[in-house]
Amino acid sequence: MLGPRNSTFDRAAGSGDRRTSRSSGRRLGRAAVALVVVAALMSAVGGQAAAHEPPAAVPRIVPAPVSLHTVPGASFALTRGTRIVVGRDAASVGAYLAGVLRRSTGYPLRISDHGGPAHAISLDLGGSERLGREGYRLDSTPAGLRLRARTPEGLFHGVQTLLQLLPARVEAPTVQPGAWTVPGVHVEDYPRFGWRGTMLDVARHFFTVAQVERYIDLAARYKINTLHLHLSDDQGWRIAIDGWPRLATYGGSTEVDGGPGGFYTKHDYSAIVRYAASRYMTVIPEIDSPGHTNAALASYAKLNCDGKVPPLYTGTDVGFSSLCTSKKVTYQFLGDVIGELAALTPGPYLHIGGDEAQSTKLEDYVAFIERVEKIVHAHGKRMMGWQDIASAKISRGSVAQFWQPAAGSEDGTQNARDAVKQGVKLVMSPANRAYLDMKYTAGTPLGQDWAGLVEVRDSYEWNPATLVDGVTETDVLGVEAPLWTETIVTDADIDAMAFPRLAAIAEIGWSPQQSRSWADFRLRLAAQGPRWTVKSVGFYRSPQVPWF
């Protein structure tokens, strides 16, 4: 959501899982990690007691698992002979894991759908109901490594934990020297919230399919499961629509500061959706309306109340543009756009924006939102919009995204309360905590500061369930970290602003609240530095974190 700047998804594990999460947090201690020192391990050779084994170091995993027990002296060594054994419906996850490991280890890591677990990595479907759709169990022993989940999605999240148990050089794109050892562990894990998202604004500056896929890969490492694409704004329209071709060819021909712009063909967009799905990430497309629409208004005169087209816009001001809410053609236009996007998007939601409609009278805005929601429903989707949509009467199935912190204004928090009163769930994206485009410090060369300076600790130390009076845990679907791109042009820019803060938001969405602490998180976050370095991610080395 934009501010005064220059400007699926039910809970994955259910209320029972959250109760388990809270009790586990109390039982297992800070960071939801319990260190179990096993004083009577049997010797692998002679069967003798190994009471002299020292305590194993606790692996530094982000997001912190619900529970992680270490077993000294029980590590698993990956070798050239290691196989990946996949159970039913686990082949795609096995192929993903093999693809990552083969690049850095050089091992063949043959995949099979049969055979015992001896010196193998086994991926199996099954396990406890409390794991929910996205949870997993991971056991590492000298004899083999076993990952279990109720769904392939859960296995995929377990693989992300497994990769963090290996040395950082496992992330390298070329063969590295061993050894490749996974410590002896027992992990049981599942998310706090079912919605853990990030948003990429491709309207202010355009990013190619390859760039978006790269961002998907980086986000998936931290169990992010939703990609919100901001596809249209004043500066550019980024998706081809058959019935309105000038939206892309003309409206997409520029960007902030007059760059070349660009747009996705339907084939391009579908490729992004498929790639995200391969990482168990759902795409939520956004067509912002009735404001933030200059690119559309410049493309078609009939969308303007006066029938005249404005020039293309390459600045960063907000609030000056609006669709003509009284014209029938406006809703024909939105029906065509929403219909084509709905056909391309398998996820349940379409985001209609609704923010900063300062050029639309309130009564016209309310009528517009209520009418557009019906269009979204007619195409088999549920409506999502920024918190502003709660000023209209909207259905319980819709979702409002909270973005505006109460800094000198109660508008945003009242919108959130109004949404909850209507039975509408919230995705929490407070700009002064979760916006990845906010500057870290006054000296940060990129980004903005209208919501304040947001260092890593600021991104981490907040609770979605207590942020707004009148909003509780049951009202919240999850969290999302938006990256607006007025100043973001390259992959390096994305890296510098998203990392390490996206990892902080990811942990808020996944890990039990009661066991999170900054003191612990900063140490686990520090361990991500070498991993990002190996992957050529130019992250911000915050002085708040003791980087390796």
Side-chain angles (χ1 to χ4, degrees), residues 289-300:
S289 62
H292 290 280
T293 48
N294 193 81
L297 298 173
S299 300
Y300 288 96

Side-chain angles (χ1 to χ4, degrees), residues 109-171:
L109 295 169
R110 296 182 179 86
I111 300 174
S112 65
D113 59 3
H114 63 278
H119 209 73
I121 300 172
S122 299
L123 308 180
D124 302 319
L125 291 181
S128 170
E129 289 284 329
R130 69 180 177 180
L131 295 177
R133 190 186 75 246
E134 296 188 280
Y136 62 92
R137 292 185 66 184
L138 175 62
D139 291 283
S140 172
T141 70
L145 191 149
R146 187 179 186 191
L147 181 60
R148 287 168 286 177
R150 296 184 63 208
T151 67
E153 189 173 1
L155 289 176
F156 183 80
H157 293 321
V159 162
Q160 308 314 314
T161 296
L162 168 59
L163 292 173
Q164 289 192 43
L165 290 168
L166 285 160
R169 60 187 180 279
V170 78
E171 305 282 1

Side-chain angles (χ1 to χ4, degrees), residues 367-386:
F368 174 87
I369 295 298
E370 293 173 0
R371 191 166 178 177
V372 173
E373 183 180 52
K374 292 177 182 178
I375 295 173
V376 173
H377 289 172
H379 290 284
K381 301 297 183 180
R382 296 162 69 180
M383 183 181 76
M384 183 174 181
W386 299 102

Side-chain angles (χ1 to χ4, degrees), residues 89-381:
D89 298 326
S92 63
V93 180
Y96 168 85
L97 175 61
V100 175
L101 295 179
R102 286 169 182 162
R103 286 195 299 267
S104 53
T105 66
Y107 296 162
L109 295 169
R110 296 182 179 86
I111 300 174
S112 65
D113 59 3
H114 63 278
H119 209 73
I121 300 172
S122 299
L123 308 180
D124 302 319
L125 291 181
S128 170
E129 289 284 329
R130 69 180 177 180
L131 295 177
R133 190 186 75 246
E134 296 188 280
Y136 62 92
R137 292 185 66 184
L138 175 62
D139 291 283
S140 172
T141 70
L145 191 149
R146 187 179 186 191
L147 181 60
R148 287 168 286 177
R150 296 184 63 208
T151 67
E153 189 173 1
L155 289 176
F156 183 80
H157 293 321
V159 162
Q160 308 314 314
T161 296
L162 168 59
L163 292 173
Q164 289 192 43
L165 290 168
L166 285 160
R169 60 187 180 279
V170 78
E171 305 282 1
T174 57
V175 175
Q176 304 293 306
W180 304 103
T181 302
V182 178
V185 293
H186 168 73
V187 181
E188 184 167 315
D189 200 14
Y190 42 83
R192 178 188 181 190
F193 292 113
W195 189 302
R196 304 174 309 282
T198 186
M199 188 216 76
L200 183 61
D201 170 16
V202 297
R204 272 45 178 275
H205 281 101
F206 180 68
F207 293 90
T208 66
V209 172
Q211 288 176 302
V212 175
E213 290 178 347
R214 177 181 182 272
Y215 190 55
I216 288 170
D217 274 331
L218 294 174
R221 280 288 197 269
Y222 298 96
K223 305 181 176 70
I224 294 293
N225 68 355
T226 307
L227 175 66
H228 171 181
L229 284 178
H230 186 73
L231 291 170
S232 70
D233 214 295
D234 292 315
Q235 299 85 354
W237 184 283
R238 306 305 183 197
I239 180 70
I241 301 297
D242 290 342
W244 302 76
R246 277 178 59 83
L247 291 172
T249 59
Y250 184 68
S253 66
T254 190
E255 57 191 6
V256 168
D257 294 332
F263 65 90
Y264 305 121
T265 65
K266 287 189 172 182
H267 177 78
D268 292 336
Y269 178 78
S270 295
I272 291 172
V273 170
R274 287 193 302 272
Y275 194 84
S278 75
R279 304 309 190 248
Y280 296 90
M281 196 176 295
T282 299
V283 172
I284 310 293
E286 179 187 354
I287 298 297
D288 210 343
S289 62
H292 290 280
T293 48
N294 193 81
L297 298 173
S299 300
Y300 288 96
K302 60 186 174 181
L303 296 178
N304 295 273
C305 287
D306 61 4
K308 299 177 182 179
V309 295
L312 291 170
Y313 182 69
T314 62
T316 57
D317 288 337
V318 301
F320 62 89
S321 62
S322 179
L323 293 171
C324 190
T325 60
S326 62
K327 276 190 170 183
K328 182 178 179 180
V329 69
T330 294
Y331 302 98
Q332 294 172 341
F333 160 72
L334 288 172
D336 291 343
V337 171
I338 289 170
E340 291 191 32
L341 263 181
L344 294 170
T345 305
Y349 295 103
L350 291 181
H351 202 301
I352 58 91
D355 65 304
E356 295 175 327
Q358 297 161 11
S359 297
T360 308
K361 293 180 180 179
L362 179 59
E363 59 268 30
D364 295 335
Y365 175 85
V366 168
F368 174 87
I369 295 298
E370 293 173 0
R371 191 166 178 177
V372 173
E373 183 180 52
K374 292 177 182 178
I375 295 173
V376 173
H377 289 172
H379 290 284
K381 301 297 183 180

